Amino acid sequence: MPPPRTGRGLPWLGLVLSSVCVALGSETQANSTTDALNVLLIIVDDLRPSLGCYGDKLVRSPNIDQLASHSLLFQNAFAQQAVCAPSRVSFLTGRRPDTTRLYDFNSYWRVHAGNFSTIPQYFKENGYVTMSVGKVFHPGISSNHTDDSPYSWSFPPYHPSSEKYENTKTCRGPDGELHANLLCPVDVLDVPEGTLPDKQSTEQAIQLLEKMKTSASPFFLAVGYHKPHIPFRYPKEFQKLYPLENITLAPDPEVPDGLPPVAYNPWMDIRQREDVQALNISVPYGPIPVDFQRKIRQSYFASVSYLDTQVGRLLSALDDLQLANSTIIAFTSDHGRQSMDLVELVSLFPTLAGLAGLQVPPRCPVPSFHVELCREGKNLLKHFRFRDLEEDPYLPGNPRELIAYSQYPRPSDIPQWNSDKPSLKDIKIMGYSIRTIDYRYTVWIGFNPDEFLANFSDIHAGELYFVDSDPLQDHNMYNDSQGGDLFQLLMP
Ligand SMILES: *[C@@H]1O[C@H](CO)[C@@H](O)[C@H](O)[C@H]1NC(C)=O
Ligand SMILES: *[C@@H]1O[C@H](CO)[C@@H](O)[C@H](O)[C@H]1NC(C)=O
Ligand SMILES: *[C@@H]1O[C@H](CO)[C@@H](O)[C@H](O)[C@H]1NC(C)=O
Ligand SMILES: *[C@@H]1O[C@H](CO)[C@@H](O)[C@H](O)[C@H]1NC(C)=O
Ligand SMILES: *[C@@H]1O[C@H](CO)[C@@H](O)[C@H](O)[C@H]1NC(C)=O
Ligand SMILES: *[C@@H]1O[C@H](CO)[C@@H](O)[C@H](O)[C@H]1NC(C)=O
């Protein structure tokens, strides 16, 4: 593994989100367009805070940790819906899923909900060259099969050519044959094209940075990495970092007693892989054999370390090109899990605009389907101001500012084949969830997908966890509480 990047003593500012991870760095506010700051937005697929910078003792992530050490790290940042396409459309437009009306993969917000501006579109309209590499928008109809081109990007987005092999039979099994497995450590020289998508994306991103070095315009470069999303297809040498005997099991591998069935994710996408199918694990509750649990964790961590080296190469190139001191870096995942300050990914849009010195879009009215440019999140700029001694080091927000909202749709009250990813027409229940510093509170309520109407008097189930005494959220206290009353008081 390459050594971690060396620090340059720059006043990086970063931000990291739990289950989602954001690092933001910037030198200072630019004065004029000639010294406008560039933006590098790194989006990682399904990365939870299994990183050294979040206190994980096992995972090796020296490059991301190095970035975080110079950055403002958000300990409690939340995605608005833990599914790729809805999450990305939400934070890239700065609107919640109830506004983008995307809870699945099957519609394009500009025609389905409203013609909402995106972060890159806004930078493009403000004189930036905007570029997309890898998985930034979710591909397919949710970004009109073009990653929202031409609106978001100055030229057509780049996709690595080896992306098409991700879910194909390229994993050598113990039988010597090739399979489409969940666990897929590979010899890179042996795979089709002799490379992997994230390696190609890093190379392309570095080439673009080299081009931008001499550009008169500032740039906004978004780089979307595939790993550690399943399948865990990564260079096999990263497995050596995590000997199986050193891998612990999840601290709470059992399904919690008080978990309402509607809340359970039956991980159907994992079951489809050949190596998992062979285990004949009962649907929906499993369990997964203990040895295989260890192997899954080993490959997840190895994928994170592989991702980390890609991030390291990218950031080293930024340094080498002497662009680091003029580039804001935001690092985030689209989702993951878990939980100082609570922030939401919808705040990325106003915050990046603010950091770059652009006008921060105004707050959205309710409803805001007709408004192209507004923000549902907050400008988090004040979090960066601790560095400026003239400023109040921390402006306490009103209590509502310390709430993060998210949601998740379900097709039925009990787990079934499409519970993880129901299509819009199949959504019958919406889980609305709030996280405060003290608790995680969720109500699962009736939802009408034709009208986009949630019925708060039709409560199917509830969850309440006190995160101080129950950080892993294993003891549901909902039935001991006052039901949905609290939730209604706190809804935005
Ligand atoms: C902004 O402009 C002021 C006055 O013109 C100058 O003193 C300051 O150094 C400039 N800051 C940057 C970041 O260029
Ligand atoms: C949507 O917004 C884009 C970008 O501003 C604009 O070019 C387009 O005309 C708009 N479409 C509609 C239907 O308003
Ligand atoms: C979506 O893509 C189609 C086909 O390329 C195009 O005709 C249509 O105008 C696009 N939609 C929007 C809103 O730009
Ligand atoms: C595995 O655990 C042993 C015992 O704690 C430790 O000495 C060793 O360094 C670990 N190996 C790795 C690769 O972390
Ligand atoms: C799979 O498990 C079920 C019980 O859960 C059992 O009836 C069946 O025989 C098993 N199939 C195989 C191929 O082991
Ligand atoms: C960034 O650093 C390079 C070399 O260290 C220097 O030439 C350049 O002026 C710096 N840019 C800014 C905006 O400070």
Side-chain angles (χ1 to χ4, degrees):
M1 287 185 63
R5 296 183 320 121
T6 51
R8 287 144 297 119
L10 286 175
W12 286 95
L13 301 167
L15 164 167
V16 179
L17 313 186
S18 91
S19 81
V20 174
C21 185
V22 169
L24 283 174
S26 89
E27 165 95 311
T28 175
Q29 289 294 303
N31 273 2
S32 68
T33 49
T34 51
D35 46 45
L37 294 168
N38 306 306
V39 178
L40 173 62
L41 172 60
I42 302 172
I43 302 171
V44 184
D45 209 348
D46 286 11
L47 176 65
R48 63 182 195 172
S50 291
L51 295 170
C53 58
Y54 280 110
D56 193 303
K57 297 276 188 290
L58 180 72
V59 174
R60 311 278 186 95
S61 52
N63 296 288
I64 296 168
D65 299 347
Q66 175 73 18
L67 172 66
S69 73
H70 293 273
S71 299
L72 182 60
L73 185 74
F74 283 81
Q75 297 286 349
N76 280 291
F78 295 91
Q80 273 49 73
Q81 185 185 328
V83 176
C84 290
S87 177
R88 287 159 191 256
V89 166
S90 170
F91 71 72
L92 288 167
T93 60
R95 310 288 185 105
R96 299 178 191 282
D98 277 345
T99 307
T100 65
R101 292 184 161 172
L102 182 70
Y103 313 107
D104 59 13
F105 297 80
N106 306 327
S107 65
Y108 183 36
W109 76 91
R110 291 188 190 275
V111 292
H112 182 75
N115 195 21
F116 309 137
S117 296
T118 69
I119 303 176
Q121 176 189 343
Y122 188 58
F123 277 80
K124 186 180 167 196
E125 288 167 1
N126 279 279
Y128 280 67
V129 176
T130 61
M131 303 167 285
S132 172
V133 171
K135 183 173 170 183
V136 175
F137 282 100
H138 191 84
I141 182 70
S142 64
S143 53
N144 207 27
H145 300 284
T146 58
D147 301 289
D148 194 42
S149 286
Y151 309 110
S152 284
W153 310 110
S154 301
F155 43 88
Y158 169 86
H159 287 280
S161 57
S162 64
E163 208 170 58
K164 58 181 171 292
Y165 303 109
E166 274 296 280
N167 292 297
T168 62
K169 299 188 180 211
T170 58
C171 322
R172 184 94 40 206
D175 59 1
E177 302 293 315
L178 293 174
H179 298 278
N181 283 346
L182 174 67
L183 311 181
C184 192
V186 296
D187 181 345
V188 176
L189 296 175
D190 210 26
V191 298
E193 298 187 20
T195 188
L196 294 173
D198 288 344
K199 288 168 76 80
Q200 288 186 289
S201 289
T202 303
E203 284 150 19
Q204 173 72 14
I206 291 172
Q207 278 181 26
L208 291 173
L209 289 176
E210 284 163 356
K211 282 202 188 110
M212 293 319 293
K213 168 84 178 146
T214 53
S215 161
S217 309
F219 67 80
F220 179 107
L221 171 61
V223 183
Y225 286 116
H226 286 271
K227 293 307 106 177
H229 193 293
I230 62 167
F232 302 122
R233 189 167 173 264
Y234 59 94
K236 65 179 189 327
E237 55 272 23
F238 286 90
Q239 211 175 32
K240 296 201 188 80
L241 293 171
Y242 304 100
L244 270 180
E245 59 271 24
N246 285 27
I247 304 290
T248 55
L249 298 179
D252 57 344
E254 311 295 329
V255 179
D257 281 343
L259 189 79
V262 67
Y264 185 77
N265 174 340
W267 34 278
M268 300 311 287
D269 45 359
I270 289 180
R271 293 172 195 273
Q272 288 158 17
R273 314 286 155 165
E274 288 181 44
D275 49 351
V276 180
Q277 268 178 28
L279 298 170
N280 192 25
I281 298 169
S282 72
V283 181
Y285 292 112
I288 300 173
V290 163
D291 285 355
F292 202 77
Q293 289 184 31
R294 282 209 173 78
K295 287 183 180 168
I296 293 176
R297 288 165 68 79
Q298 175 191 47
S299 277
Y300 183 87
F301 300 146
S303 300
V304 171
S305 291
Y306 161 56
L307 159 79
D308 180 77
T309 61
Q310 300 308 313
V311 172
R313 285 172 70 197
L314 182 60
L315 297 181
S316 293
L318 200 69
D319 277 355
D320 295 346
L321 292 164
Q322 298 183 342
L323 289 167
N325 58 355
S326 56
T327 302
I328 298 164
I329 301 175
F331 179 95
T332 185
S333 168
D334 55 351
H335 51 92
R337 194 208 87 125
Q338 202 199 333
S339 94
M340 287 165 28
D341 292 342
L342 289 158
V343 297
E344 302 175 289
L345 284 193
V346 278
S347 296
L348 196 57
F349 192 156
T351 304
L352 281 178
L355 279 172
L358 306 183
Q359 193 167 18
V360 174
R363 259 180 216 285
C364 289
V366 181
S368 66
F369 296 106
H370 58 292
V371 183
E372 291 187 9
L373 182 67
C374 65
R375 65 182 163 94
E376 292 190 39
K378 284 184 276 290
N379 178 4
L380 302 176
L381 210 59
K382 71 176 184 221
H383 291 257
F384 293 84
R385 295 231 173 104
F386 65 90
R387 297 172 48 236
D388 187 340
L389 298 178
E390 311 260 317
E391 296 273 349
D392 185 342
Y394 185 71
L395 310 167
N398 80 51
R400 290 181 60 125
E401 287 199 80
L402 296 175
I403 296 175
Y405 299 89
S406 49
Q407 60 190 102
Y408 207 102
R410 291 286 192 225
S412 78
D413 285 300
I414 52 167
Q416 62 183 41
W417 68 275
N418 61 344
S419 285
D420 313 0
K421 297 182 212 170
S423 296
L424 176 63
K425 66 175 176 21
D426 298 325
I427 298 175
K428 300 215 169 49
I429 300 159
M430 188 66 78
Y432 285 98
S433 195
I434 54 184
R435 175 64 153 78
T436 72
I437 286 297
D438 302 315
Y439 57 87
R440 158 70 67 198
Y441 196 95
T442 305
V443 283
W444 298 91
I445 62 175
F447 185 83
N448 174 340
D450 301 321
E451 312 281 335
F452 297 95
L453 276 183
N455 180 357
F456 277 86
S457 54
D458 177 21
I459 296 182
H460 289 233
E463 294 171 79
L464 175 63
Y465 306 98
F466 293 95
V467 293
D468 247 6
S469 55
D470 181 19
L472 299 175
Q473 301 174 20
D474 287 325
H475 304 285
N476 183 6
M477 307 297 282
Y478 180 82
N479 286 338
D480 304 336
S481 77
Q482 295 177 2
D485 300 348
L486 179 59
F487 192 86
Q488 290 196 19
L489 287 174
L490 290 165
M491 277 303 288

